[in-house]
């Protein structure tokens, strides 16, 4: 039996005393959907066939046949129930009983006769904690998926892209070794060779950024030819400069240390 309420949370109340069931149901149904079970076994049967598990369980301890301790131990074996918070509600207020309940995995312990305000406060607190845990687990799964995707991208760039590009570069270099090439064809092969090298460099830069994000990047400083860099900029920007009638010149002896 369940009561419909505005909240999406469902509370399962397990108690062998109908009066206690009615009190808790009346207390909770304004804010939550409420399910009830009059014994531990009935609660286990309900959970085993439930399509949607409750958000929290209020569980009495002193019940015939199967008490609350035994019910909690057995419900943890039902798929999906391991993370459902359980609060014991019992007239047993000795330290040994409370400690045993917490050791079994209960998140809290309320002593009968209970105060309605206390029950509501503890229920709200543990539902909020469960929601926060579920959100954190969802975020962790998303982070794991994102990390896996980045690893897949790295693998694609490292192997799947580099291999064919290296084949293009090797083919261009092989053909450039032919001394009988026409000047126009040689120039085209040089462009192909350089474009392939540029793509390999861009892939390496992307891999470097990925490793920075992963915290595995190792800085390996190397000297750079400033003149070579400027000449490359001149070469790569030539189409844009020609279209815009822009000039570009590398002037030696300007104090910049161009080699």
């Amino acid at each position: 039996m369940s009561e419909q309420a505005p909240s999406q949370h469902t509370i399962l109340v397990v108690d062998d005393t109908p009066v206690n069931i009615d009190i808790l149901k009346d207390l909770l149904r304004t804010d939550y959907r409420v399910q009830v079970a009059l014994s531990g076994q009935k609660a286990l049967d309900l959970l085993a066939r439930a399509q949607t598990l409750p958000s929290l369980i209020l569980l009495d301890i002193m019940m015939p046949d199967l008490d609350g301790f035994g019910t909690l131990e057995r419900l943890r074996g039902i798929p999906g129930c391991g993370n459902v918070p359980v609060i014991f509600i019992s007239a047993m207020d000795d330290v040994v009983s409370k400690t045993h309940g917490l050791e079994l995995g209960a998140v809290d312990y309320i002593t009968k006769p209970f105060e309605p305000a206390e029950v509501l406060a503890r229920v709200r607190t543990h539902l909020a904690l469960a929601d926060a845990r579920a959100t954190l687990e969802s975020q962790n799964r998303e982070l794991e998926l994102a990390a896996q995707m980045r690893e897949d991208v790295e693998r694609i760039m490292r192997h799947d892209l580099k291999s064919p590009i290296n084949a293009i570069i090797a083919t261009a270099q092989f053909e450039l070794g032919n001394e009988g090439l026409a000047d126009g064809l040689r120039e085209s092969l040089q462009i192909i060779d350089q474009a392939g090298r540029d793509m390999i460099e861009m892939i390496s830069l992307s891999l470097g950024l990925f490793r920075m994000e992963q915290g595995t990047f190792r800085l390996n400083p190397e000297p750079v030819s400033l003149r070579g860099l400027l000449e490359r900029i001149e070469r790569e920007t030539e189409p844009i400069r020609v279209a815009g009638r822009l000039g570009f010149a590398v002037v030696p002896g300007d104090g910049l240390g161009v080699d």
Side-chain angles (χ1 to χ4, degrees), residues 7 25 59 73 122 128 149 156 166 173 179-180 259:
S7 172
K25 186 168 64 174
L59 180 60
E73 287 182 305
R122 292 180 186 245
M149 185 177 295
I156 290 171
N166 281 325
Q173 290 178 337
E179 297 181 357
D259 61 0

Side-chain angles (χ1 to χ4, degrees), residues 53 126 134 139 141 172 179 193 196 227 232 238 242 248 257:
L53 294 174
H126 288 290
Q139 292 174 343
R141 286 193 296 270
E179 297 181 357
D193 177 69
R227 173 173 289 279
R232 176 177 173 181
E238 182 176 4
V242 170
F248 186 98

Side-chain angles (χ1 to χ4, degrees), residues 5-214:
S7 172
Q8 294 301 310
H9 287 298
T10 298
I11 310 297
L12 172 60
V13 180
V14 186
D15 197 310
D16 66 314
T17 306
V19 173
N20 292 336
I21 288 281
D22 290 339
I23 293 173
L24 288 169
K25 186 168 64 174
D26 289 342
L27 176 64
L28 296 166
R29 65 182 176 182
T30 300
D31 298 317
Y32 309 105
R33 292 192 292 264
V34 181
Q35 294 178 317
V36 301
L38 288 169
S39 71
Q41 186 57 55
K42 288 181 179 179
L44 294 172
D45 293 341
L46 185 152
L47 292 169
R49 64 175 184 268
Q51 294 184 348
T52 303
L53 294 174
S55 304
L56 183 142
I57 299 173
L58 295 176
L59 180 60
D60 185 28
I61 293 179
M62 298 177 65
M63 294 184 293
D65 299 327
L66 183 63
D67 65 10
F69 295 139
T71 301
L72 177 55
E73 287 182 305
R74 290 176 59 179
L75 77 83
R76 291 309 187 201
I78 298 175
C81 286
N83 292 327
V84 177
V86 174
I87 299 176
F88 277 126
I89 296 184
S90 176
M92 299 172 62
D93 61 351
D94 60 284
V95 174
V96 174
S97 297
K98 292 180 179 180
T99 302
H100 184 48
L102 296 174
E103 287 175 346
L104 289 174
V107 297
D108 209 341
Y109 196 109
I110 300 174
T111 303
K112 295 179 182 179
F114 52 79
E115 290 292 333
E118 179 187 9
V119 174
L120 287 174
R122 292 180 186 245
V123 165
R124 292 192 190 103
T125 296
H126 288 290
L127 286 176
L129 290 172
D131 286 343
R133 183 176 63 249
T135 299
L136 183 60
E137 290 175 352
S138 176
Q139 292 174 343
N140 285 339
R141 286 193 296 270
E142 291 177 0
L143 289 173
E144 290 173 359
L145 288 173
Q148 183 60 53
M149 185 177 295
R150 287 196 298 269
E151 291 178 4
D152 291 342
V153 170
E154 181 192 20
R155 176 183 52 77
I156 290 171
M157 289 191 298
R158 187 173 61 245
H159 298 292
D160 299 353
L161 289 180
K162 276 190 172 183
S163 295
I165 294 173
N166 281 325
I168 292 172
I169 295 172
T171 301
Q173 290 178 337
F174 177 80
E175 295 296 338
L176 284 170
N178 185 355
E179 297 181 357
L181 286 175
D183 292 340
L185 180 56
R186 181 175 296 278
E187 183 178 349
S188 296
L189 287 171
Q190 289 172 339
I191 292 174
I192 292 173
D193 177 69
Q194 187 59 51
R197 294 175 185 275
D198 292 343
M199 291 181 69
I200 291 293
E201 184 175 353
M202 285 189 289
I203 291 173
S204 297
L205 289 173
S206 297
L207 291 175
L209 290 174
F210 171 77
R211 293 189 180 108
M212 288 180 187
E213 293 179 353
Q214 298 293 100

